[in-house]
Amino acid sequence: MAKGITSGTEQVFLLMGKCAGSYYNAIQISDLQKYCPDIEFMDHDGAPHLENPYIVGNEIRLPYKRSYWKSGNKTGEFIFKWNDEVQWFSIQHIVY
């Protein structure tokens, strides 16, 4: 289950998994900060605003928009894909 939540000036994102009957946090907002340091806070014009996550094949995609960014609007997304080798999600960050 993936869920983006906006609360005041902060955003929260959790990708939760279930294994052997227990739930766990697979990816959270702090994991995304490695790729996009200002992803948590929305209190300035250039901050990214999370959109609704969606699924394409075996990937979970989390788009975002920046309302203002130096040379205009920017969009991007995070792509989460399960990696059987390491038994965890890989994270890819794309800026359009």
Side-chain angles (χ1 to χ4, degrees), residues 4-36:
I5 302 168
T6 304
S7 173
T9 61
E10 295 183 25
Q11 299 186 101
V12 176
F13 176 79
L14 293 174
L15 176 66
M16 298 189 71
K18 184 177 181 181
C19 181
S22 296
Y23 289 94
Y24 60 91
N25 292 340
I27 297 173
Q28 50 197 353
I29 199 80
S30 59
D31 297 313
L32 304 182
Q33 287 176 313
K34 298 171 189 170
Y35 305 91
C36 192

Side-chain angles (χ1 to χ4, degrees), residues 20-87:
S22 296
Y23 289 94
Y24 60 91
N25 292 340
I27 297 173
Q28 50 197 353
I29 199 80
S30 59
D31 297 313
L32 304 182
Q33 287 176 313
K34 298 171 189 170
Y35 305 91
C36 192
D38 61 347
I39 193 83
E40 182 179 4
F41 298 102
M42 300 174 22
D43 59 352
H44 60 87
D45 289 340
H49 295 252
L50 298 177
E51 306 273 317
N52 290 323
Y54 63 97
I55 296 173
V56 175
N58 64 348
E59 300 174 343
I60 299 170
R61 295 179 176 232
L62 175 64
Y64 66 85
K65 290 183 182 177
R66 290 181 184 271
S67 57
Y68 169 78
W69 186 250
K70 297 176 187 168
S71 61
N73 294 342
K74 289 277 187 187
T75 61
E77 67 182 340
F78 293 96
I79 300 172
F80 312 117
K81 189 173 183 179
W82 183 256
N83 184 329
D84 280 332
E85 224 174 89
V86 296
Q87 293 291 296

